[in-house]
Amino acid sequence: MHRPLIFILFLTLLGFAITACIARHLKKITLNLEPAEITNLYLERGAVLETIREGVIATDHRGEIRLANRAALNYTCFNSAELVGKLIDDVIPCAGLKHALTTGESEFDQERTVNGQELIFNIVP
């Protein structure tokens, strides 16, 4: 009679320990932020990006475009569907991002022509 009870107690304690480890891991990967805080940061970032007049295009480490603000879309004459998810070198070949990604060096105030418009690029890997 005691064996099943001890086994159930052991499994319960093991479940609590595993749950605590998972919770600790999730807190670590979310930078100790609660879901509401993450949502607020996301919304604030979006508001800042949409209100600045400078065009911002963000890519991942491969050069795939992750986001572009409204100003970037206006300056480049592209729409969001033409940019997000595509490689920057395929969409804006003159951007020169590949060089910055391979060397790790930032480039500031670089003049480039995109769709007939002279634009100033700042590239930070």
Side-chain angles (χ1 to χ4, degrees), residues 66-122:
R66 306 301 294 164
L67 67 88
N69 70 350
R70 189 171 298 132
L73 298 175
N74 290 339
Y75 290 134
T76 60
C77 300
F78 291 115
N79 65 45
S80 185
E82 292 173 312
L83 288 180
V84 176
K86 301 210 168 60
L87 293 175
I88 188 123
D89 287 336
D90 292 344
V91 180
I92 307 173
C94 65
L97 182 67
K98 189 168 286 209
H99 173 73
L101 288 174
T102 55
T103 64
E105 297 174 6
S106 298
E107 297 180 23
F108 297 101
D109 303 324
Q110 301 293 313
E111 292 183 27
R112 307 243 168 54
T113 304
V114 177
N115 289 339
Q117 285 189 351
E118 287 291 322
L119 300 175
I120 307 277
F121 279 61
N122 289 311

Side-chain angles (χ1 to χ4, degrees), residues 5-110:
L5 187 59
I6 292 173
F7 183 70
I8 291 171
L9 182 61
F10 172 74
L11 287 180
T12 303
L13 291 174
L14 182 63
F16 283 137
I18 291 172
T19 302
C21 288
I22 291 171
R24 191 174 317 116
H25 178 70
L26 287 175
K27 272 298 223 189
K28 182 179 176 183
I29 63 173
T30 59
L31 305 174
N32 289 323
L33 297 173
E34 294 296 326
E37 294 172 305
I38 294 169
T39 301
N40 285 337
L41 285 173
Y42 178 78
L43 293 173
E44 289 168 3
R45 181 192 73 168
V48 168
L49 284 174
E50 291 304 322
T51 57
I52 60 175
R53 288 190 277 170
E54 289 79 15
V56 176
I57 298 175
T59 67
D60 62 13
H61 65 280
R62 296 170 303 199
E64 183 177 314
I65 298 172
R66 306 301 294 164
L67 67 88
N69 70 350
R70 189 171 298 132
L73 298 175
N74 290 339
Y75 290 134
T76 60
C77 300
F78 291 115
N79 65 45
S80 185
E82 292 173 312
L83 288 180
V84 176
K86 301 210 168 60
L87 293 175
I88 188 123
D89 287 336
D90 292 344
V91 180
I92 307 173
C94 65
L97 182 67
K98 189 168 286 209
H99 173 73
L101 288 174
T102 55
T103 64
E105 297 174 6
S106 298
E107 297 180 23
F108 297 101
D109 303 324
Q110 301 293 313

